[in-house]
Amino acid sequence: MTEATIPVAAVGTTGVSRFAGILSSLRRSPAGFIGFVLVALLVLISAIGPFFTPEVAPNVKEILLPAGSPGHLLGTDNEGKDVLVQMIAGGRTVIFVGFVAAAISTVLAIVLGSLAAYLGGWVDSVVVTLADVFLTVPQIVLLAVLGAFFKLDSPVLLALLVGALSWPVLTRAVRAQVFSLKEREFVEAARLLDLGTPRVVFVEILPNMASFILMNFMIGVTNAIYQLVGLYLLGLAPLTGSNWGIMLNRAWIAGAIFNDNSLAWILSPIVAIVLLLLGLVMMTRSLEEILNPRLRDR
Amino acid sequence: MLTVFIVTSGTFFLVRLLPGNPVDTYIQTQIAQTGISYEAAAAQAKNLFSLDPNAPLIQQYLTYMGNLLHGDFGNSALSPGTTVASVIKTYLPWTLFSVGVATVIAFIIGIAAGMTMAYRRETWLDHLLTSIGALLHAIPNYILAILIVVFLGVKLQWFNLTEARGSYTPGVHPSFSLAFLNDIFYHATLPILAYTLTTVGSWALVMKSSTVETLGEDYVTVARARGLSDSRIRNGYVGRNAVLPLFSQLAVSLGFVVGGSIFVEKIFGYQGIGFSLFNAVNGRDYAVLQGIFLVVTISVVAANLLADILYSRLDPRIRVQGKG
């Protein structure tokens, strides 16, 4: 973390080069780079891994084999299914829901936050009040209730629900940023040219917040994964299909913690989830350092 | 106040939109089990529950709000005769106790660690503590809870997991004795440990950046130039001002931890509000659900208010400017 990082490109560059700039700055921070590699690796394994591993089928002859058994690197579960195969297959839903939910809440936050700040007046008060209300209600509690009652067995619906509930924090941050940006000269100029609200907000103002939004997007992914896996663990989301959360739930209920042979079964989804979250947090933190020069210059 | 009102109303309508209805379920079971007529069953239900599913929604709503104003939360739908208020009174104190103790511990350790990190920037100690902080910050509370159960409970046998379930040993009567206090802490240790570990990392990291920012302020430079002692600058100038922004986050974190208690309490079998919430969700006991929701929301609003007051007491600048 000692090398100098490239400051975020100045106002006026395009979104694409800005994004490339963020990536190259990430590479300059060792922690951020490790985080990036971790996340990319896990996404890649989850995306293409299942094509190379056999389907998990119950096998009553090989129940609860310990890790390191021949043919089963991480052993088997209480139905004789290979743990490693489940671990590789289990990332898809978790990562998909995490990213889609974060994307939904980020888009909601950008639209609501920037419009509230730019238009002001009653739009602003409505958005702020709504955000306050949603912030007060503990999301996990609301999610648990909704998830359990509505039996959301499709990952897309779960992602929609998680995303729809988690926009308020970022909305407030975006609102604050736009408030300060809208007073700048180039925005003033665009407004005087009568370019129209959508253009001024989305083309002139938003690109200046690209890295800030990217950072919050990653925080959103972490939060969504936290909530999703938690719901699965407690069985509050329908346990159809297989993912890390469901693996954890099954291992926990089967009492895997009390049997040395099945420790790998319960620990492997834990390791996968922790690595994914750790990678995301490392990326976010180094981005934060890049964005906030005060954090590194002293 | 407005927030509490909106949330209460929102919860009321949300809960009624959910599929399934405890009164109808009750009436159906009564008809099936005892063979009484629908009217008789409905009359029984009317006596047992403070809600009538056939009444117009707006009338139900007004009745509910009216009862709430009198402090009446209604009755549990699952266990007739139990009021929602008594459910909350039995379980909430344990959550407030465990979450509160953990928050205080995590806050204090986090501040100390954060200041240490900021003062020894770029040393091995800073890197070590920052890594530990980032790791703890990244791990969800329920995962830490499982790891605690696996390693401290099953592997090392430091804690007897079956005995430590619940919020105190059954048969022991709550009293203000040392033995009871000891018992309470024995049961709460693991949840407290889980909450502390999951929040201490973020406190430390936030405190570190806050301290680093404060170190660059002009008044610190001036204090140095005046030749004040290092410890005086550290405690009187840097520490005080760096802690301030953290108080506004205290309320947010409290709400988060209370929400997270549903996971932690379920895993340790600690009988707090999260545990009873889990049961209410699973049993579709929506009267209890509504009550817990309301209480949790009020606690978060109260915590916010408290943090605001605390913040303005500690920061004279806010006092002068009015509401920041």
Side-chain angles (χ1 to χ4, degrees), chain B residues 165-188:
Chain B
R165 291 180 81 81
S167 31
Y168 55 89
T169 309
V172 174
H173 285 286
S175 60
F176 283 102
S177 66
L178 201 64
F180 183 65
L181 216 63
N182 194 21
D183 193 51
I184 288 177
F185 271 102
Y186 180 70
H187 287 266

Side-chain angles (χ1 to χ4, degrees), chain A:
Chain A
M1 251 176 272
T2 43
E3 296 115 303
T5 41
I6 301 178
V8 180
V11 169
T13 43
T14 64
V16 179
S17 77
R18 183 173 295 273
F19 186 71
I22 293 166
L23 281 186
S24 82
S25 326
L26 259 187
R27 255 205 346 260
R28 280 163 181 269
S29 143
F33 184 63
I34 296 170
F36 180 73
V37 169
L38 256 178
V39 174
L41 213 65
L42 282 163
V43 170
L44 207 69
I45 291 175
S46 306
I48 60 169
F51 292 117
F52 299 97
T53 49
E55 284 276 298
V56 272
N59 181 355
V60 279
K61 285 183 195 138
E62 295 184 322
I63 282 175
L64 288 182
L65 292 179
S69 307
H72 301 289
L73 204 59
L74 290 176
T76 56
D77 68 5
N78 64 343
E79 291 177 355
K81 295 179 183 169
D82 185 274
V83 170
L84 182 65
V85 173
Q86 288 186 58
M87 195 179 157
I88 291 172
R92 274 192 176 181
T93 324
V94 175
I95 293 173
F96 173 80
V97 173
F99 277 85
V100 173
I104 292 171
S105 67
T106 308
V107 169
L108 271 175
I110 291 172
V111 173
L112 291 174
S114 52
L115 288 184
Y118 190 77
L119 296 176
W122 66 269
V123 180
D124 190 35
S125 355
V126 168
V127 170
V128 170
T129 313
L130 258 181
D132 276 346
V133 171
F134 271 84
L135 266 179
T136 316
V137 182
Q139 278 173 41
I140 301 161
V141 179
L142 196 56
L143 264 175
V145 174
L146 290 175
F149 276 82
F150 280 114
K151 304 227 168 299
L152 300 166
D153 43 8
S154 116
V156 182
L157 280 178
L158 259 177
L160 265 171
L161 183 62
V162 175
L165 292 181
S166 27
W167 52 271
V169 182
L170 182 56
T171 301
R172 281 163 62 143
V174 168
R175 179 174 165 269
Q177 288 262 320
V178 173
F179 257 127
S180 82
L181 278 172
K182 83 174 195 187
E183 304 301 328
R184 306 269 177 89
E185 288 91 350
F186 68 94
V187 178
E188 204 79 36
R191 215 171 350 178
L192 288 176
L193 285 172
D194 215 9
L195 292 178
T197 307
R199 210 200 127 132
V200 176
V201 171
F202 295 108
V203 182
E204 302 295 331
I205 295 182
L206 280 180
N208 294 297
M209 303 162 53
S211 31
F212 170 77
I213 286 169
L214 182 69
M215 187 183 99
N216 280 284
F217 172 75
M218 289 191 293
I219 296 176
V221 177
T222 338
N223 285 338
I225 291 173
Y226 165 79
Q227 294 171 342
L228 179 77
V229 175
L231 289 186
Y232 278 121
L233 170 66
L234 292 194
L236 293 174
L239 302 171
T240 46
S242 70
N243 65 51
W244 294 333
I246 294 174
M247 267 179 95
L248 257 180
N249 170 281
R250 289 185 47 233
W252 177 258
I253 287 179
I257 51 166
F258 297 111
N259 186 338
D260 278 347
N261 282 358
S262 53
L263 267 188
W265 176 24
I266 196 166
L267 289 184
S268 50
I270 287 184
V271 169
I273 294 162
V274 168
L275 283 181
L276 179 64
L277 291 180
L278 189 64
L280 283 165
V281 167
M282 282 163 97
M283 268 166 82
T284 315
R285 284 196 53 74
S286 58
L287 243 181
E288 198 179 354
E289 274 173 37
I290 295 163
L291 285 180
N292 189 353
R294 306 187 75 171
L295 277 182
R296 64 191 148 86
D297 282 344
R298 298 195 177 94

Side-chain angles (χ1 to χ4, degrees), chain B residues 25-255:
Chain B
T25 321
Y26 175 81
I27 293 175
Q28 296 303 328
T29 1
Q30 286 297 305
I31 293 173
Q33 280 176 356
T34 56
I36 53 172
S37 68
Y38 177 84
E39 283 73 28
Q44 272 191 20
K46 203 168 171 2
N47 282 332
L48 274 174
F49 307 115
S50 49
L51 72 125
D52 173 9
N54 298 320
L57 204 57
I58 188 76
Q59 195 187 323
Q60 285 188 44
Y61 173 68
L62 290 177
T63 316
Y64 174 67
M65 291 306 259
N67 286 342
L68 266 189
L69 284 179
H70 297 110
D72 180 6
F73 287 90
N75 295 315
S76 155
L78 273 191
S79 21
T82 315
T83 59
V84 173
S86 74
V87 172
I88 292 168
K89 226 170 83 188
T90 320
Y91 294 112
L92 187 65
W94 300 112
T95 300
L96 291 182
F97 165 68
S98 55
V99 166
V101 170
T103 305
V104 171
I105 297 176
F107 196 68
I108 293 171
I109 299 180
I111 284 171
M115 273 196 88
T116 313
M117 275 145 62
Y119 263 91
R120 301 182 196 226
R121 273 180 72 64
E122 305 301 336
T123 62
W124 63 269
L125 190 67
D126 171 33
H127 290 302
L128 181 75
L129 288 179
T130 306
S131 316
I132 295 175
L135 185 71
L136 287 177
H137 178 63
I139 303 181
N141 50 15
Y142 47 83
I143 297 243
L144 262 170
I146 294 179
L147 290 175
I148 289 172
V149 167
V150 170
F151 290 104
L152 298 189
V154 179
K155 288 275 153 199
L156 295 172
Q157 304 275 346
W158 284 1
F159 289 91
N160 186 326
L161 293 171
T162 9
E163 268 178 29
R165 291 180 81 81
S167 31
Y168 55 89
T169 309
V172 174
H173 285 286
S175 60
F176 283 102
S177 66
L178 201 64
F180 183 65
L181 216 63
N182 194 21
D183 193 51
I184 288 177
F185 271 102
Y186 180 70
H187 287 266
T189 305
L190 294 184
I192 289 177
L193 188 64
Y195 295 133
T196 308
L197 285 178
T198 35
T199 45
V200 74
S202 44
W203 285 127
L205 297 177
V206 173
M207 183 62 189
K208 178 189 172 183
S209 49
S210 180
T211 309
V212 169
E213 281 195 23
T214 312
L215 278 174
E217 297 286 350
D218 293 337
Y219 56 79
V220 177
T221 320
V222 171
R224 284 223 180 87
R226 279 171 62 199
L228 294 180
S229 74
D230 276 349
S231 68
R232 178 139 179 230
I233 295 175
R234 186 165 57 230
N235 300 325
Y237 289 69
V238 180
R240 249 188 97 131
N241 288 294
V243 170
L244 282 175
L246 272 72
F247 277 99
S248 51
Q249 295 187 22
L250 200 61
V252 178
S253 93
L254 223 55

